[in-house]
Amino acid sequence: MLTQPLFIGSEIYRGSSYGKKHPLRVPRVSTVMDLSRALGWLPPAQFVNSPRAKPKALEIWHSPDYIAALQTAEDAQHVSAETRARHRIGTLDNPVFPEMFRRPATSAGGAMLAGELLSGGGVIYSPAGGTHHGFPDRAGGFCYLNDPVLAMLSLRRQGVQRIAYVDIDAHHPDGVEHGFEGDLDTVMISVHEEGLWPRTGAVEDRAGGSAFNLPVPRGLKDTEMALILDRLILPVVTAHRADAIVLQCGADAVEEDPLSHLSLSNNAHLRVLRALRPLAPRLLVLGGGGYNPWSVGRLWTSVWGELAGHEAPDRLPPEAEAVLRALSFDGNRHGRNPPEHWFTTLTDTPHEGPIREELRTRLNMLTGRLKAPY
């Protein structure tokens, strides 16, 4: 069993970008690494350099033709019209860029290593993970490989049978649902913005009995997320008696994210994390979406602090503040006049509000399934 939480990261994410106009032009994992180290939260003994998954290892779920297409596209920095149509790479969402195979293969390698390291129990954080839209033979939604699926299959290879996958990204995890549809040893819970791409995950969608999908209305605040945690997430995970929990902690549900319309503070994510941690002997926390560099860096660093047992200071020390002041967000209104607290604190002011009836109705639909085998 792991004796302390581990952080899996890599220098490949520093400077790697999907392109100057793509939402993933902003630094994310490197910011979390730098900010954690500036706070004294990431000693060498807790940092694991992520391996790059070998092409053959990725074929545990992805097709050989697709893996070969990714490698060829990285080498040539070009795809044919046929490859673009078949594998959905070389598109605006999933562009050709210099590390387009090596970067996702590194996050996939970290996720698969996490499954091995967690064989006896423990806690691992891999903020580069969470690419939940990848499919066996195609990319989707900025995701070339599906590291949550690969992590869960890695856990299975270590004899970990019952897995709870909880996804609080603003987008529905269509690739993960595809991977574990009908697998009743896996329970999947997704809280995602209704109507947002990929426009899947309706409340009626059970994925063969293994999924609880909760599309939420725009403007979701901390108060409503607390109700979702208490009424849905905790009862379902507890009833499943999971041997491992995988939490996809996408930062795009935070209010300032440019690609979604939810209104959570980063306190909401941390509350979910704290509540889930004692419910299984193994916990793997992944990143996911998040396209505002300050809200991503502050949230994901706070997640590591929570896992590693550190309390966020009321005001960041100068070294940590300098990391956040060095960020920029060109081409977005949030980058023109960022508020001072994005530079000086990690924790947001809570965003409270009323609980809407439409949310209560959907929760009642889902929790009614707990009265019978789901």
Side-chain angles (χ1 to χ4, degrees), residues 11-12 21 33 43 61-62 67 80 82 118 141 162 171 222 226 237 287 366:
E11 286 296 316
I12 196 172
K21 296 184 179 180
M33 292 163 54
W61 196 64
H62 290 283
I67 299 303
S80 66
E82 179 185 7
L118 287 170
R162 298 183 67 80
H171 301 81
D222 296 7
V237 173
L366 292 172

Side-chain angles (χ1 to χ4, degrees), residues 80-158:
S80 66
E82 179 185 7
T83 295
R84 184 179 301 111
R86 177 179 175 185
H87 299 301
R88 300 188 192 176
I89 55 177
T91 65
L92 289 175
D93 281 354
N94 314 306
V96 173
F97 68 98
E99 306 86 10
M100 65 177 292
F101 173 73
R102 286 173 291 155
R103 175 172 165 162
T106 300
S107 60
M112 297 168 79
L113 175 63
E116 297 172 10
L117 294 175
L118 287 170
S119 61
V123 173
I124 291 181
Y125 184 39
S126 181
T131 52
H132 55 184
H133 298 306
F135 275 72
D137 199 45
R138 60 176 170 84
F142 318 159
C143 304
Y144 297 83
L145 302 172
N146 196 311
D147 63 83
V149 168
L150 294 167
M152 293 157 75
L153 292 175
S154 178
L155 284 164
R156 284 275 172 81
R157 294 180 76 170
Q158 304 305 312

Side-chain angles (χ1 to χ4, degrees), residues 190 202-205 211-215 232 236 361-371:
S190 175
V203 70
E204 301 85 3
D205 174 15
F212 288 77
N213 281 306
L214 180 61
L232 177 67
V236 171
T361 299
R362 292 171 194 173
L363 282 171
N364 288 337
M365 291 175 61
L366 292 172
T367 56
R369 291 170 55 190
L370 290 173
K371 298 175 182 177

Side-chain angles (χ1 to χ4, degrees), residues 204-253:
E204 301 85 3
D205 174 15
R206 299 188 178 197
S210 56
F212 288 77
N213 281 306
L214 180 61
V216 297
R218 291 184 173 198
L220 186 80
K221 288 188 166 61
D222 296 7
T223 317
E224 292 179 311
M225 192 64 180
L227 180 69
I228 293 166
L229 176 64
D230 293 339
R231 287 281 315 278
L232 177 67
I233 297 174
L234 294 181
V236 171
V237 173
T238 300
H240 190 64
R241 304 185 308 279
D243 300 314
I245 295 171
V246 177
L247 172 62
Q248 200 269 21
C249 202
D252 50 4

Side-chain angles (χ1 to χ4, degrees), residues 169-171 192-197 199 216-221 224 251-264 291 333-334 351 356:
D169 191 288
H171 301 81
H192 50 274
E193 181 183 331
E194 65 178 336
L196 198 64
W197 190 94
R199 300 180 182 86
V216 297
R218 291 184 173 198
L220 186 80
K221 288 188 166 61
E224 292 179 311
D252 50 4
V254 173
E255 184 172 54
E256 301 88 4
D257 192 86
L259 294 192
S260 68
H261 313 89
L262 304 180
S263 298
L264 298 179
Y291 309 98
R333 62 183 178 85
H334 290 298
H351 298 171
R356 288 165 285 184

